[in-house]
Amino acid sequence: MDFLLSGFLKALDLLITLDSSTWSAVAASLKVSTISMLISLAAGLPLGFALGYFDFRARRFIRTCVDTLLSLPTVFIGLVVYAFITSRGPLGEFGLLFTLTGIAIGQVILALPIVVALTASTVENMDNRLRLTLMSLGAGKRDLVVTCLWEVRYGLLAAAVTAYGRVMTEVGISMMVGGNIKWHTRTITTAIALETGKGMFANGIALGLVLITIAFAVNISVSFLRQR
Amino acid sequence: MNQTGSLYRLDHVVHYYNDTKALNIDEMTIPAGSITGLTGPNGSGKSTLLKLLAFVSAPTSGNIYFKGRREYPFSSRSRSRVTLLTQEPYLLKRSVYDNIAYGLKIRKDTKQLDDRVRNALATVGLPYGEFAFRKWHQLSGGETQRAAMAARLILEPEVLLLDEPTASVDADSAKLIRDASLKAREFFGTTLVIASHDWHWLYEICDNLLYLFKGMVFSSGMENIISGPWEKQGEDLYARKIGGEGKLFVNTPPAEDSHALVRKKDLHINPHASGKERENFDNRLEGVITRMILEKAGMEIITSVMIGDLFFTLRLSGQEVRSLRLYPGAKVVICFQKDAVQWL
Amino acid sequence: MRKRTVIKTCLVFLASLYFFCPGARAGETLMMATTTSTDNTGLLEYLEPEFEKDTGIDLKWTATGTGKALELGRRCDVDVLLVHAPSAEKDYIKNGYGKNRTQVMYNDFVIIGPGNDPAGIKGKDIRQALERLKSLNSLFVSRGDDSGTNKKELLLWEKSGVEVPERAEWYLQTGQGMLSTINVAEERKGYTMTDRGTYIKYRSDKGDSAGLAVMVEGDAVLMNQYSVIAVNPDNCPGSKYDRAVRFADWMAGERARNLIGDFRLLGKKLFIPNAR
């Protein structure tokens, strides 16, 4: 229990003194989660839109598959990605193991189903009148997709925030694929795992609080984008 | 390539919603520059028909010809030439200005945008300074519908389809919307197709009035459609009760709960006929005239008669009304034969 | 307009992260797999800068369990190993996965127990101690997680001729790491086997309130030998074998030996260099 308080004080200390290994972990976490989020959004938003908007026979089945992918444990994803990018594996020659890029690949696999499923739900619940209105005003197919996505932007924002939270806080992929190499692939979450494993609980708490502070800052920025 | 100058021609259009048949129209035309009214009970297919005319959806089967050519959703010839105003007021999640400018921006027609938006807002009675930069959630229902109307008028559409445009709004807004629709026709020659329960207004302005019932279109305006259940009274004779003790007689229905359409030309109204003349008819129903409206196009008088729990509508000439001395509140007798019905 | 400034601030912040934080450095790199317990002592962080200064090679390492470290070598994901599981290492070399095994240092394992030593094993040799624990059914806490340390513990039972009390009620298997296991032993006032490094940390953390102390130490069989093994280039054509050998040579060299001997964990000496 006492490590909670010492952890809190330690967190302040790490942040204020700009401890370089902490900031390196922060930078690594932010770098890799931002890249994986951008890719997941770029691919997931149109896919989610298609899944929510169009009616086709395999729709329910695909939706069920996507929802099932939401339950993938991160260690499992890490293991599968490792199997592909290990030196002996099919993608071994690209040297992706123990790199942030490798972690990003795993995190995209983690975040993509979240973005797709939540976007599809948002689009399904779209007002009927929206389509009528847009077509009445002369929207073509592309206008329709773009404007619909913009109209439901608050729902999409929620999807992005959810996915981002999941990606920032995962350990399984970062550990398995990244290897927790100091200065290179040590993220905040793997650093927490390391400190906890060493029994340095206060350090673990400290890093956890740093992570929460960052998440808080991100969410504050996001809330400015929300109008109502 | 117009065929007999009709803007729209529908050819054996059948439309299903899931598994229900929502529309079943063998043939229908709408002339350019006309004002057509659609009326009928809820669920009769008015909204569906408007959506098909707007090319928002394609009919399950059949063709819709617009200006002589078959058209489909997203077609460049119908896009932003045909606009639809929904029943419930709806705006995009952006400012009023951006809502109104949306259609023009899409087709990259943004010269003098400010002025055009200003004019459009003026047409619906929304002052630019006060309303242009309000957000979508800062308007009342009536103001929202007016802004939505402005968004369509600014496109100077060839066709304006209105689905119960005054149903969900306050009285002032309703008036402004009605006036704006007519202005569109006056300034741009817009063809109007209006679905509404506001018969007064429709009878006042419409060139044609179409009556929809269960997805079928009747071109001659309000029809008298009577529902079952029908009980057998004798050989080829069925009846249903109409309030109190009266009975209405028909020939054999295809099913117990079928609907009977009484052909207008076989309906006779007669307050003064003697008992003997009346006895020639199978049906002699006593009722009261509740309403008389002067119809715009043919100068006929639409007369509503209440009989028990039913309302009958007849078209009478001015002369008939005068000679029979009919007026609202007058007691009359409606007569028709049991075979004067068409089963639906 | 507030929105735009917020977005711009975020973008600037993210961009600065890319430029101002340490990333991959150009130059020769060497990828190593080692065990978590080795990494946790801090020895590698202490040695790495010296190694880079002397050789110009940037050493990067990932710390996992012994089994996984060996597997990474088999799969050619790393170039060199630093582990402490001699019999597994010998098989490794025999099977052609590793080459050039170089012993570099050792530390030791100890048996610890409650200060008042209820089973009376203090000062005995390992064989006597374990026999006594068994005959008295004294509480003994094991890691039970198939780690290198756990394998060592099982080996001790075997070498002492005592059957592993797998199902016995007084033999607790935690399935967890060393510190957690020690904590359980302290709670339950039992005995356990630990590596000296973790024991030092435990004593440092708890200070005067530490409930456990060293009971048995010094037996040859309690020695924990560390070796550097290069991944066999015949098995892994792309591996950086010559750099791995340079690392092994450096670790066996005089400078490293001095550094290792001078290394202190929380003020206590931990490793003894024994390269030949």
Side-chain angles (χ1 to χ4, degrees):
Chain A
M1 188 57 201
D2 47 314
F3 60 80
L4 285 178
L5 180 61
S6 50
F8 178 71
L9 295 170
K10 184 108 199 208
L12 293 175
D13 178 53
L14 287 175
L15 285 171
I16 294 170
T17 59
L18 298 177
D19 175 59
S20 54
S21 61
T22 306
W23 282 102
S24 164
V26 166
S29 280
L30 284 176
K31 265 194 245 186
V32 76
S33 40
T34 308
I35 295 275
S36 46
M37 273 313 299
L38 290 175
I39 298 177
S40 305
L41 287 174
L45 288 178
L47 287 174
F49 181 85
L51 190 56
Y53 187 81
F54 297 111
D55 211 352
F56 48 93
R57 274 210 296 196
R59 185 196 200 180
R60 215 197 248 180
F61 176 69
I62 294 184
R63 184 59 200 267
T64 311
C65 289
V66 172
D67 287 344
T68 309
L69 290 177
L70 293 175
S71 303
L72 284 178
T74 55
V75 263
F76 180 77
I77 298 177
L79 199 47
V80 171
V81 174
Y82 170 78
F84 275 85
I85 63 179
T86 179
S87 194
R88 286 265 171 87
L91 303 177
E93 64 211 49
F94 296 110
L96 293 168
L97 189 59
F98 304 138
T99 63
L100 288 180
T101 313
I103 301 179
I105 294 176
Q107 289 189 345
V108 168
I109 298 177
L110 179 65
L112 195 58
I114 301 178
V115 174
V116 171
L118 293 182
T119 302
S121 290
T122 304
V123 168
E124 268 167 25
N125 293 328
M126 213 167 62
D127 203 315
N128 288 336
R129 296 168 285 173
L130 178 57
R131 186 167 161 266
L132 293 178
T133 302
L134 291 179
M135 289 187 75
S136 288
L137 297 175
K141 287 187 188 165
R142 197 183 145 271
D143 299 315
L144 198 61
V145 173
V146 170
T147 310
C148 281
L149 283 176
W150 181 251
E151 284 295 296
V152 298
R153 57 192 180 276
Y154 298 132
L156 301 184
L157 197 55
V161 167
T162 307
Y164 186 73
R166 191 90 168 87
V167 150
M168 264 290 260
T169 55
E170 68 83 23
V171 182
I173 299 171
S174 304
M175 196 63 103
M176 192 76 193
V177 175
N180 199 15
I181 300 175
K182 193 167 183 183
W183 306 116
H184 296 273
T185 59
R186 184 164 296 172
T187 63
I188 303 185
T189 49
T190 56
I192 296 177
L194 178 63
E195 295 299 312
T196 317
K198 290 201 280 191
M200 319 271 271
F201 295 156
N203 284 359
I205 295 284
L207 289 167
L209 291 174
V210 169
L211 179 60
I212 291 178
T213 310
I214 295 178
F216 190 61
V218 169
N219 278 301
I220 290 210
S221 325
V222 164
S223 76
F224 274 124
L225 298 177
R226 259 190 253 269
Q227 286 220 300
R228 66 168 207 146
Chain B
M1 268 172 289
N2 277 335
Q3 297 182 0
T4 68
S6 55
L7 189 62
Y8 277 102
R9 182 165 78 79
L10 273 73
D11 178 25
H12 290 88
V13 167
V14 179
H15 194 68
Y16 282 85
Y17 261 152
N18 301 320
D19 294 323
T20 333
K21 192 187 280 198
L23 274 185
N24 187 1
I25 301 175
D26 283 342
E27 242 224 87
M28 186 179 119
T29 58
I30 294 180
S34 64
I35 305 182
T36 303
L38 297 181
T39 191
N42 285 334
S44 55
K46 304 195 291 292
S47 294
T48 311
L49 179 56
L50 287 176
K51 284 185 197 153
L52 294 185
L53 291 176
F55 301 110
V56 164
S57 312
T60 314
S61 71
N63 299 313
I64 302 181
Y65 295 84
F66 179 68
K67 297 205 283 198
R69 294 166 92 144
R70 266 173 75 177
E71 290 298 356
Y72 305 95
F74 297 112
S75 143
S76 54
R77 279 179 295 268
S78 60
R79 259 165 72 177
S80 66
R81 298 220 171 83
V82 179
T83 73
L84 170 69
L85 186 68
T86 56
Q87 181 169 350
E88 297 283 332
Y90 185 79
L91 286 177
L92 300 176
K93 293 188 173 67
R94 50 191 78 183
S95 69
V96 169
Y97 185 102
D98 289 331
N99 262 285
I100 296 177
Y102 181 79
L104 292 178
K105 282 190 185 158
I106 293 196
R107 60 183 198 201
K108 304 208 185 353
D109 177 11
T110 53
K111 289 206 199 53
Q112 294 161 324
L113 190 56
D114 275 4
D115 285 335
R116 290 158 88 177
V117 171
R118 199 180 285 268
N119 286 341
L121 281 172
T123 315
V124 296
L126 293 172
Y128 182 91
E130 205 190 316
F131 284 94
F133 296 103
R134 282 211 204 167
K135 300 280 179 206
W136 73 100
H137 51 91
Q138 293 170 311
L139 302 171
S140 73
E143 288 161 351
T144 305
Q145 190 70 308
R146 281 146 69 185
M149 182 71 155
R152 285 142 180 83
L153 292 178
I154 199 175
L155 302 174
E156 299 184 8
E158 289 184 37
V159 180
L160 186 55
L161 304 160
L162 303 170
D163 194 352
E164 308 277 355
T166 56
S168 317
V169 302
D170 58 279
D172 289 337
S173 298
K175 177 163 189 352
L176 284 159
I177 290 173
R178 288 199 292 266
D179 292 346
S181 330
L182 293 176
K183 273 189 215 156
R185 182 152 172 286
E186 197 188 314
F187 294 152
F188 321 129
T190 309
T191 306
L192 300 178
V193 181
I194 308 171
S196 184
H197 283 130
D198 186 352
W199 306 340
H200 283 249
W201 181 40
L202 290 183
Y203 278 117
E204 191 190 331
I205 62 171
C206 291
D207 303 317
N208 316 305
L209 198 58
L210 303 179
Y211 184 75
L212 270 88
F213 185 77
K214 289 201 171 181
M216 293 176 289
V217 174
F218 300 92
S219 316
S220 35
M222 286 292 292
E223 291 287 351
N224 295 302
I225 296 180
I226 303 162
S227 57
W230 306 99
E231 288 171 358
K232 189 164 180 153
Q233 308 290 301
E235 180 79 37
D236 196 31
L237 190 66
Y238 282 73
R240 71 159 259 179
K241 292 198 183 55
I242 8 169
E245 297 158 6
K247 274 196 187 159
L248 192 148
F249 297 98
V250 291
N251 57 20
T252 313
E256 191 188 85
D257 54 359
S258 299
H259 293 265
L261 183 150
V262 183
R263 286 187 283 266
K264 278 220 229 342
K265 58 181 172 51
D266 296 328
L267 270 179
H268 301 269
I269 187 168
N270 203 332
H272 302 307
S274 67
K276 278 232 177 76
E277 277 182 42
R278 280 197 247 166
E279 272 160 31
N280 287 341
F281 288 101
D282 299 317
N283 285 295
R284 299 172 296 276
L285 309 170
E286 288 179 7
V288 176
I289 294 181
T290 54
R291 183 170 23 205
M292 296 171 84
I293 298 176
L294 179 64
E295 194 214 33
K296 165 193 170 189
M299 301 302 277
E300 286 188 308
I301 299 177
I302 310 296
T303 308
S304 295
V305 179
M306 180 173 76
I307 300 176
D309 58 328
L310 296 175
F311 280 87
F312 279 78
T313 309
L314 291 88
R315 299 171 92 108
L316 304 171
S317 67
Q319 199 189 2
E320 279 178 278
V321 168
R322 273 195 300 277
S323 62
L324 295 172
R325 285 210 263 277
L326 299 176
Y327 53 89
K331 286 204 178 63
V332 292
V333 178
I334 304 287
C335 307
F336 58 94
Q337 300 291 49
K338 71 175 166 82
D339 298 317
V341 302
Q342 178 186 328
W343 288 105
L344 298 176
Chain C
M1 301 312 122
R2 241 150 110 229
K3 253 198 298 188
R4 297 233 181 96
T5 24
V6 169
I7 296 177
K8 276 190 206 150
T9 323
C10 293
L11 288 174
V12 167
F13 180 66
L14 283 175
S16 61
L17 282 181
Y18 273 85
F19 293 117
F20 292 128
C21 287
R25 295 194 284 272
E28 298 190 300
T29 59
L30 180 62
M31 192 70 213
M32 179 167 77
T34 182
T35 68
T36 353
S37 51
T38 316
D39 189 30
N40 286 353
T41 61
L43 177 73
L44 290 170
E45 300 211 0
Y46 164 75
L47 291 176
E48 201 272 331
E50 306 299 325
F51 174 66
E52 184 166 359
K53 222 180 343 175
D54 288 350
T55 63
I57 299 177
D58 178 16
L59 179 69
K60 297 199 279 191
W61 66 91
T62 181
T64 65
T66 308
K68 184 162 175 200
L70 295 174
E71 177 71 13
L72 287 173
R74 268 194 285 271
R75 298 179 129 269
C76 310
D77 288 326
V78 293
D79 307 309
V80 66
L81 305 174
L82 173 61
V83 289
H84 45 104
S87 61
E89 291 166 32
K90 288 178 183 141
D91 285 339
Y92 202 70
I93 304 282
K94 199 163 36 159
N95 292 330
Y97 299 121
K99 212 168 155 176
N100 199 328
R101 177 169 177 259
T102 311
Q103 291 182 323
V104 293
M105 64 198 181
Y106 68 91
N107 61 7
D108 61 335
F109 291 98
V110 292
I111 304 286
I112 60 176
N116 60 343
D117 190 19
I121 61 166
K122 191 167 169 96
K124 296 202 177 347
D125 69 45
I126 187 73
R127 190 194 184 100
Q128 291 170 334
L130 291 181
E131 279 172 356
R132 208 167 151 81
L133 287 175
K134 174 141 190 223
S135 63
L136 292 176
N137 287 358
S138 286
L139 188 66
F140 186 88
V141 185
S142 164
R143 279 182 66 171
D145 63 350
D146 223 31
S147 60
T149 305
N150 183 220
K151 289 199 174 100
K152 184 71 169 188
E153 182 219 310
L154 296 176
L155 191 66
L156 291 182
W157 291 105
E158 187 189 313
K159 285 235 158 89
S160 309
V162 182
E163 202 187 309
V164 175
E166 173 73 29
R167 291 268 172 76
E169 277 194 28
W170 50 271
Y171 185 73
L172 288 182
Q173 300 190 54
T174 63
Q176 294 176 55
M178 199 64 247
L179 252 184
S180 315
T181 306
I182 292 179
N183 284 332
V184 171
E186 186 180 71
E187 278 306 302
R188 304 287 305 268
K189 300 199 175 39
Y191 293 82
T192 187
M193 187 204 82
T194 172
D195 63 283
R196 176 129 358 226
T198 314
Y199 175 70
I200 292 172
K201 274 214 215 114
Y202 157 73
R203 292 294 304 212
S204 169
D205 270 350
K206 298 277 177 147
D208 291 332
S209 66
L212 305 174
V214 175
M215 297 288 128
V216 178
E217 61 184 323
D219 275 49
V221 75
L222 288 172
M223 199 173 94
N224 186 20
Q225 175 67 49
Y226 287 74
S227 308
V228 174
I229 302 179
V231 164
N232 191 346
D234 298 330
N235 192 36
C236 299
S239 77
K240 304 182 176 64
Y241 180 69
D242 45 290
R243 284 180 220 168
V245 169
R246 276 158 71 190
F247 177 68
D249 290 342
W250 186 85
M251 285 290 278
E254 187 178 339
R255 179 147 155 75
R257 272 186 269 140
N258 288 333
L259 288 169
I260 293 172
D262 289 340
F263 178 74
R264 294 287 175 272
L265 176 63
L266 299 166
K268 301 273 197 301
K269 185 170 163 128
L270 183 55
F271 296 102
I272 299 165
N274 67 341
R276 280 179 244 119

